[in-house]
Amino acid sequence: MGISPSSKAAAGKPNYDVIALKDSISSSTMTELIAPAVIRCDASALANATLLERVVLSPDIHYLGAKFCNNAKALREFQPMDMPELENLGSTAFGGCSSLKGDFSVAKILELSSNVFRASAITSLSAPLAETVTAGAFGSCSSLTNLYLPRLRNITGFSISDNTGVRTLT
């Protein structure tokens, strides 16, 4: 895509005027991505963005590809946390985002893929339509205490029990 991001958005203003991130944005200086029109992020779009602390996308986001923010260890804030239109949440999308905290909701997701939130610091997840949770989805999520998965039918591998803090699974 060939976008050169500014290292910080000016006074909360968008630093991109696009609706999709199709290529990896690798920047050693970018700390924020404010792109309120973006509704699709392909695989590895922000992977290994080591200084990235804040991401703001459209509340209508519908696609986050595999390894979307993988290993963005400084990522503390992702908006929106409530993603009612999200239909794809790729494997390892937020894997290794060890500073990412919060309560997430993904209303349309049917499967929580492998390592999707592995080693993140999320505290809860609501996925009312999810029927499958695959290996490592929440591995090493010691801050994760609540999962709302009322349609859960299939659990593979150590998807929930691997070093999580889960106390409530409904």
Side-chain angles (χ1 to χ4, degrees):
M1 182 154 45
I3 296 174
S4 299
S6 61
S7 63
K8 262 206 187 281
K13 301 224 185 223
N15 48 353
Y16 290 104
D17 185 20
V18 295
I19 60 167
L21 299 178
K22 294 192 177 262
D23 296 323
S24 178
I25 296 175
S26 59
S27 170
S28 59
T29 60
M30 184 169 67
T31 59
E32 288 186 335
L33 173 65
I34 300 174
V38 169
I39 59 172
R40 179 185 177 93
C41 295
D42 286 349
S44 302
L46 300 172
N48 299 313
T50 57
L51 297 179
L52 189 63
E53 296 176 2
R54 181 175 183 230
V55 172
V56 178
L57 303 176
S58 171
D60 296 324
I61 188 83
H62 70 266
Y63 187 95
L64 294 174
K67 298 183 179 181
F68 160 64
C69 271
N70 186 44
N71 289 323
K73 294 182 187 314
L75 184 63
R76 291 180 287 114
E77 180 183 351
F78 178 85
Q79 292 179 28
M81 289 193 297
D82 181 10
M83 297 175 266
E85 300 304 318
L86 191 66
E87 295 175 351
N88 184 79
L89 183 59
S91 64
T92 321
F94 292 101
C97 294
S98 55
S99 298
L100 182 62
K101 298 178 180 178
D103 302 319
F104 284 78
S105 177
V106 289
K108 291 185 177 181
I109 295 299
L110 301 177
E111 178 178 324
L112 294 163
S113 302
S114 62
N115 302 314
V116 68
F117 284 102
R118 184 172 192 74
S120 72
I122 67 167
T123 51
S124 72
L125 177 74
S126 173
L129 298 181
E131 294 184 354
T132 302
V133 177
T134 60
F138 303 107
S140 300
C141 289
S142 60
S143 298
L144 181 63
T145 57
N146 298 302
L147 285 172
Y148 179 66
L149 306 168
R151 293 194 178 178
L152 184 62
R153 294 176 186 256
N154 305 302
I155 301 174
T156 62
F158 294 103
S159 51
I160 295 174
S161 62
D162 179 27
N163 297 316
T164 68
V166 174
R167 291 190 296 266
T168 307
L169 173 59
T170 53

